Amino acid sequence: MVDSDWNDWLPRAVADADPDGVAIWYLGCNGFALTDGDTTLFVDPYLGLGDPPRTIRMIPVPFDPTDVEAADAMLATHEHTDHVHGPSQAPILEGTGATFHAPDDSLTVAREDERWTEEWNVDDEQLDEVTEGDTMEIGDFTIHVEEAHDPDATHPVSYAIEHPAGTFFHGGDTKPSEAFERIGEEYDIDLAALAFGSVGRIPDKESREPTRTRWYNDENQAVETAAALRTDRLLPTHWDMWKGLTADPTALHHHVGSFEHPNALEIVEIGDRVDL
């Protein structure tokens, strides 16, 4: 069960949007909603509270997933619970009939660990396995499944989401990779979302002893990845989410200024909208 004190204004804003291009809302953590007014996509929406005291959510839960009325597809980047989470995502699939596109290990979580098709009214045909090199056409969106480098995940992917209005790149929790030079050459990326955070002491999953933990890019890694992608705008994510790993995204201004790309730093908070 997901409980939000934001009521339904955010999913209504998405459903009612009629942008000239593509409107993109940051949902906190690494989640996004995209719409061109006809087709709506979600990427990694997470509405859970974490696993206190190991992972403690530092931002509001922005909406109840049962309030989502418009969704055509949902994309997952990897199998971690803040990217594949039945209570956050299955009700959206149940209420909208949207398809869920994810790599194999993410679908294992949905099918076997969390049993989405048993716990919610989700048909197995709504769950679609993707892998690097795949391409999907959903409305006017062309979604390319690309490589990602996340040593903490078992099968991470990234997404280059093309639209006549521009291209949005979602890296999941990726860190720098040689693949991004190719991706930057292959796509004209207008906006790239990359995970950014600090290093903190987080209780170990098994022993619960505080352990030095680095899950996301630091300043240099985030800008190095954005530069390889040749993105016009860098939008840092994840810096807001977990106690002990939060960071100040304005620190990226100094790093961005010394690279040819990105041309601009797009700092948003949960619930904010940007456009392509």
Side-chain angles (χ1 to χ4, degrees), residues 173-242:
D173 290 352
T174 193
K175 292 184 176 69
S177 167
E178 293 180 359
F180 296 140
E181 293 285 351
R182 174 191 59 79
I183 293 171
E185 292 176 358
E186 189 165 338
Y187 306 101
D188 184 11
I189 300 173
D190 297 280
L191 179 66
L194 298 173
F196 166 63
S198 59
V199 177
R201 287 173 59 79
I202 302 297
D204 179 78
K205 200 169 188 178
E206 300 296 333
S207 69
R208 294 291 174 169
E209 290 297 318
T211 304
R212 188 176 188 273
T213 301
R214 180 199 295 272
W215 281 337
Y216 314 117
N217 293 302
D218 63 19
E219 293 91 338
N220 292 314
Q221 291 173 319
V223 177
E224 175 186 340
T225 302
L229 291 168
R230 302 184 184 184
T231 182
D232 291 334
R233 294 183 284 165
L234 166 61
L235 193 160
T237 65
H238 243 317
W239 56 269
D240 54 3
M241 188 61 181
W242 301 126

